[in-house]
Amino acid sequence: MKRSAALAVVAVMAVSGCSSPGKGSAAPAAGTPSAPGAAGGSGAGGLGAASQSASAPSGACTIFPADNVWHADVSKLPVHRDSAAWVGSIGAQAHAHPDFGSGLIDGAPFGIPVTTVGQGQAGVKVSFEYADESDKGPYPIPRNARIEGGPNADGDRHVIVHDTAACKVYELYAARPNADGSWKAGSGAVFDLRRNDLRKAGWTSADAAGLSILAGLPRAEEAAKGRIDHAIRFTAPRTRNAYVWPARHAASSSTDANLPPMGARFRLKASVDISKFPAQARVVAQALKQYGAVLADNGSPWFFSGTQDDRWSNDQLNALKGLKGSDFEAVDASLLMVDANSARCKP
């Protein structure tokens, strides 16, 4: 991931809002803009304070509160004015690809693994290449924490540690363990899952867009219940040197307006027939219709992330490969924004 950033202007109007996990859509949202600034500003090192959003009620640890933008129903949002250009730049004829599942592909696990820890997991030191945009430790990473692609991987090597006791997620990019139990990584971020805080404007995370990776991963247990209640993380080959809410970071040097910015939200068109998809693929596709997908990193076109989990059926997920870029459209998610420095949607 390249480490550069630029700001993008966002506007706010009244439309549909966020929905509660496991429930229906909330009432329409409205808000007034509090945008960081105009496109083109430098973002390295952080341009503003992170939002001090209200905490969610105590109780079960969910993946962010119900009023978080990841849980926003975008099925009724207007199509973005640049939708056709953005879809074309990603690839209107390129097929979707579920970049997750079970077993091995070319001898390596695929998908992004999540390591779950509970109370008592010791924190360890992590040293960062991009220390000025990374959250300081310690990080509760066990020695056997799973690495994306396996221990010998050459890719992004994400490590995601979900601390269910503290209700936090610790995310690393380019992570490698040291012999003494400590770790080194390119960058790292800690997210309090009971809050709607965003990272400082201009800051990366373990993802190019400066967002949580865990929040955008379809999980096998969600598919088993028949419903995914959040947007899904995906990649595009080329992006613009800009980001839009709720993203906090860009990863490109291009100023081409035909390229999408980090944080751009897309959805599967309502007209696409998914009724004959196998169960797991249908649940993922329905989430893409209702909650959409968030552009989070540079990579292959329409590659949708999910967890590495043997409960996934690759045969079922392969049905998603029948979708093409032309089946998607960009939406104007800025209409959900209450505060540019918070991931909260006004219900």
Side-chain angles (χ1 to χ4, degrees):
M1 296 187 293
K2 295 181 180 179
R3 305 288 162 175
S4 60
L7 301 177
V9 175
V10 287
V12 178
M13 295 171 62
V15 284
S16 59
C18 293
S19 60
S20 300
K23 299 181 180 180
S25 301
T32 54
S34 179
S42 172
L47 297 178
S51 167
Q52 296 301 312
S53 306
S55 299
S58 60
C61 178
T62 59
I63 309 300
F64 291 118
D67 62 354
N68 189 281
V69 67
W70 281 101
H71 296 295
D73 185 331
V74 300
S75 61
K76 304 301 182 184
L77 285 180
V79 175
H80 196 284
R81 65 183 182 184
D82 295 322
S83 177
W86 291 355
V87 168
S89 73
I90 300 172
Q93 297 305 310
H95 284 267
H97 182 83
D99 197 23
F100 61 99
S102 61
L104 304 177
I105 297 294
D106 295 328
F110 72 117
I112 299 179
V114 177
T115 300
T116 301
V117 299
Q119 191 169 7
Q121 178 63 47
V124 298
K125 180 181 178 181
V126 182
S127 57
F128 297 106
E129 179 180 358
Y130 303 100
D132 59 336
E133 294 183 25
S134 295
D135 292 326
K136 296 180 180 179
Y139 284 56
I141 307 176
R143 286 180 177 269
N144 64 346
R146 294 189 294 166
I147 301 170
E148 181 186 11
N152 300 317
D154 294 324
D156 284 348
R157 294 181 62 91
H158 289 119
V159 168
I160 311 296
V161 176
H162 182 194
D163 185 339
T164 55
C167 202
K168 293 182 178 181
V169 62
Y170 298 78
E171 304 184 350
L172 301 180
Y173 159 70
R176 294 185 181 274
N178 296 318
D180 63 358
S182 63
W183 289 70
K184 57 185 177 182
S187 57
V190 181
F191 295 92
D192 187 335
L193 297 174
R194 291 198 173 104
R195 300 178 64 87
N196 286 320
D197 296 342
L198 293 176
R199 296 180 65 67
K200 291 181 180 180
W203 274 32
T204 188
S205 60
D207 219 354
L211 298 169
S212 167
I213 293 173
L214 178 65
L217 300 180
R219 304 184 296 280
E221 59 268 26
E222 294 178 306
K225 294 177 180 178
R227 185 166 185 266
I228 294 168
D229 67 355
H230 57 81
I232 297 173
R233 174 190 186 270
F234 85 105
T235 61
R238 299 176 62 212
T239 57
R240 185 163 26 116
N241 184 19
Y243 61 87
V244 293
W245 179 85
R248 308 300 273 173
H249 186 265
S252 172
S253 60
S254 177
T255 58
D256 186 350
N258 291 318
L259 299 178
M262 284 296 171
R265 193 125 169 190
F266 293 74
R267 70 180 172 219
L268 184 62
K269 292 177 180 177
S271 59
V272 177
D273 183 8
I274 62 173
S275 63
K276 296 181 180 179
F277 280 15
Q280 288 188 349
R282 189 166 62 251
V283 172
V284 174
Q286 181 58 42
L288 289 170
K289 285 191 173 189
Q290 185 171 357
Y291 302 101
V294 176
L295 179 55
D297 203 351
N298 297 309
S300 299
W302 308 113
F303 267 48
F304 295 94
S305 299
T307 56
Q308 173 197 326
D309 194 316
D310 286 340
R311 292 174 293 180
W312 287 116
S313 167
N314 296 338
D315 288 341
Q316 292 192 36
L317 294 175
N318 281 340
L320 295 168
K321 295 178 181 178
L323 301 173
K324 296 190 299 184
S326 57
D327 293 323
F328 292 87
E329 58 194 2
V331 299
D332 191 354
S334 70
L335 304 181
L336 300 170
M337 186 177 72
V338 176
D339 183 335
N341 290 314
S342 171
R344 184 175 71 89
C345 293
K346 186 176 181 180

